[in-house]
Amino acid sequence: AGLIDGSVVEVVRCGSHVLATASTDKLAKLWCGDSGDCLLTLTGHSDQVMSVAFSPDGQLVATASTDRTVKIWCGDSGECLLTLVGHGSPVFMAVFSPDGRRVATASHDRTLKLWDMGSGHCIMTMS
């Protein structure tokens, strides 16, 4: 397979050796920055993946999608650990807090939600 099957909408780096892409083909991928090899394909969203972010320790990956969800993945295995559901419209951004204990998400529904990574619950909604 080539580098991408859909249009890449975001690229982020974790350290100096791993890159992540979010794309319109409903996938996020982790890549080796040295060889260009695909390390993991994160499969599970039902629509375009608009944003990808690494936790501060690089162990988790968050993906935001137009399917109105955010998924939290294990960066080593690619296992989906949490699906954050609560936005009423596409989610365009997800970022981890500096300590990695929370994720902030922004949606076309004009809300910002703050999620607790321990429970997966939304702990605050701002609009």
Side-chain angles (χ1 to χ4, degrees):
L3 179 64
I4 52 171
D5 296 320
S7 297
V8 171
V9 295
E10 184 172 43
V11 178
V12 298
R13 180 175 53 161
C14 180
S16 60
H17 301 288
V18 179
L19 300 170
T21 56
S23 66
T24 59
D25 60 3
K26 307 176 190 174
L27 302 174
K29 294 184 179 187
L30 302 186
W31 304 88
C32 176
D34 294 328
S35 68
D37 292 335
C38 181
L39 303 172
L40 286 173
T41 299
L42 307 177
T43 306
H45 282 291
S46 62
D47 210 341
Q48 300 174 56
V49 179
M50 304 304 293
S51 174
V52 61
F54 287 101
S55 62
D57 65 5
Q59 298 300 303
L60 301 176
V61 178
T63 55
S65 173
T66 55
D67 68 7
R68 301 185 293 192
T69 69
V70 171
K71 293 186 180 287
I72 308 298
W73 311 84
C74 173
D76 290 330
S77 69
E79 177 187 0
C80 182
L81 303 173
L82 287 171
T83 299
L84 308 177
V85 178
H87 281 291
S89 292
V91 185
F92 291 109
M93 182 66 67
V95 295
F96 283 92
S97 63
D99 64 7
R101 295 174 50 201
R102 295 183 176 161
V103 168
T105 59
S107 170
H108 192 262
D109 65 9
R110 298 182 179 183
T111 65
L112 172 72
K113 292 185 180 287
L114 192 60
W115 306 83
D116 177 76
M117 288 297 87
S119 67
H121 293 120
C122 179
I123 56 175
M124 185 182 299
T125 300
M126 296 163 260
S127 57

